[in-house]
Structures are given as structure tokens and as C-alpha cells.
Amino acid sequence: MAQEKKISVAVVGAGGVGRCFLQQCSQILPQYPNISLVFISRSNRSLRVPTWNHELSLETWEKDLVASGDPALSPQELLDWFGTTENEIILVDNTSSQDIAGFYPNFLKDKITVVTPNKKAFSSDLDLWKRIVDNAYPNNPDGGFLYHEASVGAGLPIISTLEDLLETGDEVQKIEGVFSGTMSFLFNNFAPLEGEGGKWSDEVSKAKDAGYTEPDPRDDLNGVDVARKLVILARMVGLQIESTSAFPVQSLIPTELESCISGDEFMEKLPAFDDEMEKVKAKAEEKGKVVRFVGSIDVGRKAVEVGLKEFDKGHAIAGLKGSDNIISFYTKRYGSNPLIVQGAGAGGEVTAMGVSADMIKAIKDCHGWKKVRRKSGVIVGDDVHKLFKYAQANKFAIPAINVTSSSTVVASLEAARDKKAPIILQMSQGGAAYFAGKGVANDKQQASVAGAVAGAHYIRSVAACYEIPVILHTDHCAKKLLPWLDGMMDADEAYFKEHGEPLFSSHMIDLSEEEVDFNIQTTAKYLKRAQPMKQEIGITGGEEDGVNNEEVDNNALYTQPEDIYNIHKTLSAISPYFSIAAGFGNVHGVYKPGNVKLHPELLGKHQAYVKEQTGSKDDKPAFLVFHGGSGSSKAEYIEAISHGVVKVNLDTDLQYAYLTGIRDYVLKKKDYIMSQVGNPEGEDKPNKKYFDPRVWVREGEKTMSARVQEGLVDFNTANQL
């Protein structure tokens, strides 16, 4: 199986919700051997591991934190410290700090996953919200994950429910409910369905004593907490709400008490205003209703409101108990019967549970494979990019198999399915022409274009049946073959117009026989064309595969770091979707041993040079391709892959492997295929079951599939899904 990365958890905020969260971590984290707690902080001090190989104790963290003399770290200091490790980082922010919230975009941009119940990050400045969302995955394919379920529903699945509705194509029309456990407790006791209920000030006092309110109850009664939650949900459904002051928010604080110096003074003076709330309750009772403090979002009207509202006693909101929250989602799919989420919406344990659940999701997603959205069939765009990143992080490469027929496609897909691995299926210009038929004229690349397009549609039709991700690629387009590429990209653009994605995942341009500048600029031109479709374009740097290099000076087979950087600099300015086939002595086909010596260590130098020149924090900033893989040793594969190679071509070995199955069958069954009737078992015995192409072609598929599986093991691709 794929080796899991190490994940380090840093916790900011260790009081209240934070303390409950850390208590829950003592049960959760031991289940994940590759996860360690590395940092805990409060407002005035912090505790961290001396090295990234250590971990903090979940049994003694509280006394260890008290004994620590280290001050709390600023967000920038924390980010700088995170930069000293290659571990995945999950930052759990249990505070309500605006300073930390304002730094979320920086954390996310640096691939740090953020888990938080902090409402301020998502309900304050609209520009901050946009920067957070833009820097988080999936809007930023390389960004950290973002989880904030507890920012709205504490432990209730409000955020995830709304995300599911939106991502499955439902149309959210209205959201309404009781969003505050404090307000729920107050009104369920002040205006119950049965009985008179207590005085308003008495119920506020009970709620304060029970820990349902903030130390100063005005922080709950002003309605701002509910308003923040409404802002978050409204923004998620597409409303551009600037802040909580952009819509009506009813405060239950008497005007005369807004200037009270303390919460104690407020509570002392509140009884004098009980009559005002009694009138509100009585007015509802006269209509046979009860009053509740609710929030609502009318998506069609683009209206958000927070305040008191009367409900029939049979309404779900009227029948709440204790401190329960209830949120109703009115959608096109659910019609007049809303999707309702109900349960405890307040309390440290419940909120911490929401944070803990998000952390578990983050742990699972941080391993990388979760980032690939389409798990089977042909993948494109961001999914290809993410799969390559996953391959680099887990040190495997994806074999690229030249396919020339439905038979070779099936053999490759079977191998990848059985080894639980992704696969690249690619067509060369000649292989594409073969797909169309050798009898079709190809003087203007018409057979190669038609065959490639036909092969692509066939692969798209069957690939999903094998339940693995497939990259659909074309390879080795030399200068004289550019009309072939033009024709395929015409088909890409037509497919994109109809389906929102290109027909092919990627194309590789091979101008290694041309001048370097022409190579780079021509590839850049095609990358600009591919960029709107998020289609990957590959470039071949240096003399290598696709050209018979047996007579080439060996020095020409080794691409220089400066060349790789120039390619990277030019292409990255256009699009992140590109790969580089660097020459390190690799050649096309299998030649005499010792003809050329491979130097895969050069690939590491290329990566280091690009990292240095670009200032990247990524040790493998370039996606590298290993052409001419047939005949190489496993040790050479592994070293090349360790330096960021994500794709290895397998061609010649597989052609021979396909032949062996058919060859061996023919030799074994020779006496059964010399005629339609008559074999060693009798002169009148039919031979159809022996000469049927489905039989002997299948034997070729079996031996080819076995050789593909061998490559999947060699490249560490097996069991990566």
C-alpha cells in the first residue's frame, strides 16, 4: 500500500473548546500512527516540540503548557516555523481571534490545512472571505484544505449539508432556523409551548449560570453571533454579503442598558425591562403562536434577517427543547418539505466534536489522493495536476502505455485495475493512424487525427468501467507532425465547448531535434491554446526518446539545468499544467548495453536549480517525464522517480510482451490452426474455437497486461489508490 505521509497537528487556543478538543484528541490521534501533536498555545504562552520527530504528550499537555516559558507565537512566526518541516500541517484554531483569522490565506497558500470554529474568519470582511476561499483547495489546487463546520452549527452538520446540496446541483431557495443554542434555551423556557414560562431576566440569569451565555450576556442578546452564522451561509450560496451590518439584526438589549460598564451591571438592571418582553410573548399568544429568535436567508430575494418571529405551535421551530438548534433548508429538490438538521448547538464538548470531526476529515484528505475529484475514467485539468503532485509526494510514477487498438487499451486497463493503480494511455502519431486503419491516407495527418479522436472516444467510453483514473495522452509530436496536434486540439476545443473539458488530458510535443528557442516558444504557443481548457502540454528537452540517438554524441543526451529552468520559467508564466521530458542519457528502444549511461541523479540537480531560481518551497517544482523507459533497470527507475519523475514511457517491452502471448499460443496450437476443419483429434473436428481472433488476441492481452503490472510494481504505482 502507499506509504502515508507524516502529519503534524498544531493547536491554537487551549481553553474552553480547545481543552475539550485536546481531551478528544487523546482518543482520536492514537488511531493514526503517522499523526503527531506538535504545538499548543494560549494567549500568553506556547508549547512545541524540540524537533519535528518528537510529539507532545496528550496526557500531560496542560501542566507542560503551564510550565513552558515560551511566549505565544504570532501568526507569521507560526508560519515560519511550519516552513522548517516537510510534514503535512493541520492547524486547529480554537480561538475567536481576528488576527489569526486574517492570516488564514497565508496558511492555506502554503499548503497548511486549517480546521476552525472561528466565525470571524468567514463573517467579517468580504475581501478576507474571498482570499480565504481563493487560497484554499479546490480553488487553489495546491492550497491547504479548509474545514469550519463548527463555525455555524457547533457539532451539527450544517456546513457539510449545504455543501452537499450545492455540489449535487440542488437549488437552495431559503434557509431558516434557530442558530443559537443560547437563544433556543432562553425562548424555550421563556415562551414554552405549554405553561407560562419564567420572567425574561430570570431565564437570562439561568442561562448564564448554566454556561449557555458568554460572561457578558449582551454578547449573545445583541444577535451578532447569529448574524455571523447567517453571513457564512449566505456567502456559501453566492450572496455577496459585506458584513453583519448589511442586513437587519434585531438586538434584545434594551437601549438604556447598552452603556452598562459590565455584564454584572447589565444583569442587575435587566429585570426593569421584563414587561417589554412579556408584551412580545403575549402578542404571539393572542394568535395561538409562540415567539422565537431566528435567522433566515431568502436566496431569491437576496434578503438576510435576524430577529424575533412568531410561529404556529405545530411548527418544528416552535417545538424545540433545551438548547437545541434547528436549521431548515428549503430547496428545489426537497420542495415544500425542507431538509431539517436539528440537535445540540451549544457547549464546549459539542463544538469540540465538530472540530474533531473536521480534523479527522483533514487527516484523511491530507494524504493527497482525496484531492483527485474524479476517481475513475479519464481525468483532466486539476485532477491530472493533483495526481502528479500525489505521485511526487509518494514517490511513484505512472506508466505511459502506447496503445494502438482496443485490445492494447483493454490489456493496460486490466493491469491498472488489478494493481489498484492509475495509468496513462497514450497514442503516437503512428499508433493513432493504426487506430483509423492502415488503409487510410495520411498525407495530411488525416488518419492520425481521425484515429486519435476515435481512440480517445473509445477510451472515454470504457475507462470508467475499470474504476481507476486514466490520463488520456498523445506522445512525440515532432515538428513535421504539428498538423496532427492541430487537428487533435481542434477536437479538444469542440469537446470542451460541449462538455467543459478537453477530449484528451494532455499532449506531448517533441521538438528535441530543433533549436532550443524554437522548442520552447512553439510549446508555449500550444500551452496558451490549451490553458483555457486546463489541458497539460509536455515538452521534450534535449536529444532523447522519439529520435534514434545511437549515433548522437552522448553529451547531447544530457539536458542542462539552465535549459530546464528556462522551460519552467517560460511555461509557468502561462499555465501550471505542463511537464518536462529531460534528457539524462535515456534513449528510444533497447540498444546495446553500455551504449549510453543513464544519469538519473541529474534530475535532482534540475529540480534543485529550478527551486533555487524560482524561490519555490517545493523540492520538486517540475513534473518530469522519463522517456525511453524500456530496458532500464529498476534501480534507475526508482532513482529517477525520487527526483520528481511522474511519468515513465513503456513501449518496446510491451510490444514484445503482446507478441509473446500470441506467439506461444500459435506454437502450442499450430496443429489446430492450419485449417478450419481437421486437427490431431480428428479429420472432421472444427477448429473455430482455436482460430477465433478473440482467443489468440486475448492471449496477447494477457501477456501484455502481465508486463504492465510488472511496470506498475517497478514504478511503485501499484496499490496507490
Side-chain angles (χ1 to χ4, degrees):
M1 294 295 291
Q3 184 176 0
E4 296 181 333
K5 291 187 200 174
K6 291 183 178 179
I7 298 176
S8 298
V9 178
V11 180
V12 179
V17 171
R19 179 182 287 106
C20 294
F21 167 75
L22 286 164
Q23 289 171 348
Q24 292 175 15
C25 279
S26 64
Q27 296 178 311
I28 297 169
L29 293 187
Q31 301 176 47
Y32 299 92
N34 293 314
I35 315 300
S36 59
L37 179 65
V38 298
F39 180 87
I40 303 173
S41 73
R42 284 181 175 149
S43 58
N44 60 351
R45 67 184 64 208
S46 65
L47 177 67
R48 58 173 155 168
V49 290
T51 73
W52 290 100
N53 292 325
H54 290 76
E55 59 183 302
L56 300 180
S57 169
L58 284 163
E59 295 180 358
T60 63
W61 70 266
E62 203 155 5
K63 70 176 184 179
D64 293 340
L65 180 59
V66 171
S68 173
D70 294 338
L73 299 182
S74 70
Q76 182 61 59
E77 289 172 331
L78 197 54
L79 181 61
D80 291 342
W81 183 56
F82 290 158
T84 63
T85 181
E86 293 185 357
N87 292 357
E88 293 277 0
I89 301 291
I90 297 176
L91 172 64
V92 181
D93 173 23
N94 290 312
T95 75
S96 59
S97 167
Q98 186 68 55
D99 290 340
I100 297 176
F103 218 73
Y104 286 177
N106 305 68
F107 289 124
L108 293 164
K109 186 177 182 180
D110 265 28
K111 306 178 183 179
I112 293 162
T113 290
V114 175
V115 173
T116 184
N118 189 341
K119 289 184 281 290
K120 292 181 180 177
F122 313 102
S123 62
S124 55
D125 183 60
L126 180 59
D127 178 66
L128 175 60
W129 159 270
K130 290 179 178 178
R131 287 190 292 115
I132 290 173
V133 172
D134 287 346
N135 282 284
Y137 173 84
N139 290 330
N140 176 7
D142 292 328
F145 291 101
L146 175 65
Y147 304 89
H148 60 107
E149 185 73 76
S151 67
V152 173
L156 295 179
I158 306 303
I159 298 275
S160 56
T161 297
L162 181 55
E163 287 177 339
D164 288 344
L165 290 170
L166 296 172
E167 290 178 4
T168 56
D170 203 354
E171 180 183 323
V172 178
Q173 299 162 337
K174 182 180 179 181
I175 303 172
E176 183 178 59
V178 175
F179 289 86
S180 166
T182 301
M183 290 297 196
S184 181
F185 180 85
L186 286 173
F187 281 92
N188 292 338
N189 288 281
F190 171 65
L193 289 178
E194 298 179 359
E196 296 184 358
K199 292 183 178 180
W200 177 247
S201 60
D202 288 344
E203 298 304 334
V204 174
S205 181
K206 290 178 185 176
K208 184 175 184 294
D209 292 342
Y212 286 122
T213 74
E214 297 294 331
D216 186 339
R218 286 176 295 179
D219 291 337
D220 295 287
L221 298 179
N222 61 14
V224 174
D225 181 68
V226 174
R228 288 194 180 109
K229 297 175 182 179
L230 269 289
V231 169
I232 296 170
L233 297 180
R235 288 173 175 174
M236 288 181 65
V237 297
L239 302 185
Q240 300 296 299
I241 305 298
E242 289 290 339
S243 67
T244 55
S245 60
F247 54 89
V249 178
Q250 183 178 0
S251 172
L252 300 186
I253 303 171
T255 304
E256 297 85 345
L257 301 186
E258 289 178 351
S259 60
C260 287
I261 297 175
S262 67
D264 290 340
E265 181 186 352
F266 169 77
M267 291 301 300
E268 183 180 337
K269 296 180 177 180
L270 185 60
F273 298 88
D274 281 345
D275 288 346
E276 293 183 13
M277 290 301 294
E278 285 294 330
K279 292 177 183 177
V280 172
K281 179 168 66 173
K283 182 180 177 181
E285 288 177 344
E286 289 174 1
K287 304 174 187 177
K289 299 184 177 184
V290 293
V291 65
R292 296 290 184 261
F293 194 86
V294 301
S296 65
I297 302 168
D298 189 314
V299 180
R301 292 175 45 236
K302 298 181 180 180
V304 182
E305 297 177 353
V306 174
L308 295 173
K309 186 176 179 179
E310 297 174 351
F311 290 90
D312 292 330
K313 292 186 177 181
H315 196 283
I317 288 178
L320 284 179
K321 304 292 184 182
S323 62
D324 275 8
N325 285 0
I326 184 171
I327 291 85
S328 301
F329 295 94
Y330 295 84
T331 76
K332 184 176 181 179
R333 187 178 292 152
Y334 279 85
S336 59
N337 295 316
L339 171 61
I340 295 176
V341 179
Q342 179 178 343
E349 288 288 345
V350 171
T351 303
M353 186 277 289
V355 178
S356 296
D358 274 351
M359 182 185 68
I360 292 172
K361 294 175 186 175
I363 289 170
K364 294 178 179 179
D365 287 352
C366 276
H367 294 311
W369 171 235
K370 293 288 185 180
K371 288 187 177 181
V372 179
R373 288 184 170 243
R374 188 179 297 170
K375 299 298 191 295
S376 65
V378 173
I379 65 173
V380 297
D382 286 342
D383 278 345
V384 174
H385 191 270
K386 287 172 250 173
L387 182 56
F388 283 171
K389 282 291 186 185
Y390 177 55
Q392 285 186 331
N394 290 274
K395 296 183 178 180
F396 72 88
I398 308 167
I401 313 302
N402 274 22
V403 293
T404 56
S405 64
S406 61
S407 178
T408 53
V409 167
V410 166
S412 304
L413 291 174
E414 282 188 1
R417 178 199 62 196
D418 294 346
K419 286 297 183 181
K420 297 183 176 63
I423 197 79
I424 298 173
L425 300 184
Q426 64 186 24
M427 287 175 275
S428 65
Q429 180 261 358
Y434 190 82
F435 244 111
K438 293 293 286 185
V440 179
N442 203 27
D443 56 307
K444 297 180 181 179
Q445 301 300 323
Q446 60 267 44
S448 292
V449 172
V453 171
H457 281 288
Y458 170 72
I459 291 169
R460 277 186 169 273
S461 297
V462 301
C465 299
Y466 292 83
E467 299 182 337
I468 53 163
V470 177
I471 296 175
L472 180 51
H473 182 62
T474 66
D475 211 28
H476 292 313
C477 181
K479 182 180 179 180
K480 64 182 180 181
L481 304 180
L482 289 176
W484 172 50
L485 178 57
D486 292 331
M488 290 187 294
M489 293 195 74
D490 288 342
D492 282 321
E493 289 166 341
Y495 195 88
F496 180 82
K497 186 175 182 179
E498 184 175 353
H499 300 282
E501 65 184 52
L503 178 61
F504 294 89
S505 310
S506 53
H507 301 288
M508 171 65 78
I509 301 173
D510 184 357
L511 302 177
S512 56
E513 288 187 294
E514 314 303 327
E515 293 293 330
V516 173
D517 287 345
F518 179 83
N519 184 358
I520 296 176
Q521 294 308 316
T522 301
T523 304
K525 181 185 75 171
Y526 282 100
L527 186 60
K528 287 178 182 177
R529 184 176 178 183
Q531 190 274 333
M533 300 182 284
K534 290 188 175 181
Q535 184 180 51
E536 192 225 346
I537 296 293
I539 182 172
T540 301
E543 301 282 353
E544 57 114 330
D545 194 21
V547 180
N548 188 326
N549 292 316
E550 288 184 287
E551 304 303 325
V552 173
D553 178 10
N554 283 1
N555 290 332
L557 299 176
Y558 305 112
T559 309
Q560 300 304 304
E562 293 80 5
D563 294 333
I564 300 299
Y565 169 61
N566 286 334
I567 291 171
H568 190 277
K569 180 175 67 172
T570 302
L571 299 188
S572 62
I574 301 169
S575 168
Y577 306 103
F578 66 91
S579 59
I580 305 171
F584 55 99
N586 37 329
V587 296
H588 181 62
V590 181
Y591 301 94
K592 293 179 182 178
N595 181 60
V596 176
K597 181 172 177 56
L598 287 180
H599 286 284
E601 73 277 4
L602 294 177
L603 301 179
K605 294 180 180 179
H606 297 338
Q607 296 280 26
Y609 188 77
V610 174
K611 177 182 179 181
E612 177 186 358
Q613 294 299 312
T614 61
S616 173
K617 291 188 176 181
D618 194 338
D619 288 334
K620 302 168 187 173
F623 293 141
L624 299 180
V625 176
F626 186 166
H627 281 174
S630 293
S632 302
S633 70
K634 183 173 181 179
E636 288 167 337
Y637 288 141
I638 295 302
E639 184 172 2
I641 291 168
S642 73
H643 297 308
V645 164
V646 295
K647 171 191 169 195
V648 180
N649 274 19
L650 276 183
D651 183 18
T652 309
D653 286 5
L654 297 180
Q655 291 173 342
Y656 186 72
Y658 189 84
L659 167 67
T660 58
I662 298 173
R663 178 201 65 195
D664 293 348
Y665 177 84
V666 169
L667 293 175
K668 182 179 180 180
K669 301 295 183 180
K670 180 173 68 73
D671 293 335
Y672 292 81
I673 59 175
M674 300 304 291
S675 61
Q676 291 191 43
V677 178
N679 59 48
E681 297 176 20
E683 293 181 358
D684 59 346
K685 294 292 185 179
N687 293 320
K688 178 176 173 52
K689 66 180 180 179
Y690 300 106
F691 63 72
D692 187 331
R694 290 173 295 178
V695 178
W696 51 268
V697 168
R698 179 58 181 163
E699 295 303 312
E701 292 173 0
K702 291 178 181 177
T703 49
M704 178 180 171
S705 186
R707 180 62 184 88
V708 173
Q709 290 192 36
E710 182 182 331
L712 291 168
V713 172
D714 287 346
F715 306 159
N716 195 31
T717 330
N719 296 314
Q720 291 288 354
L721 302 184

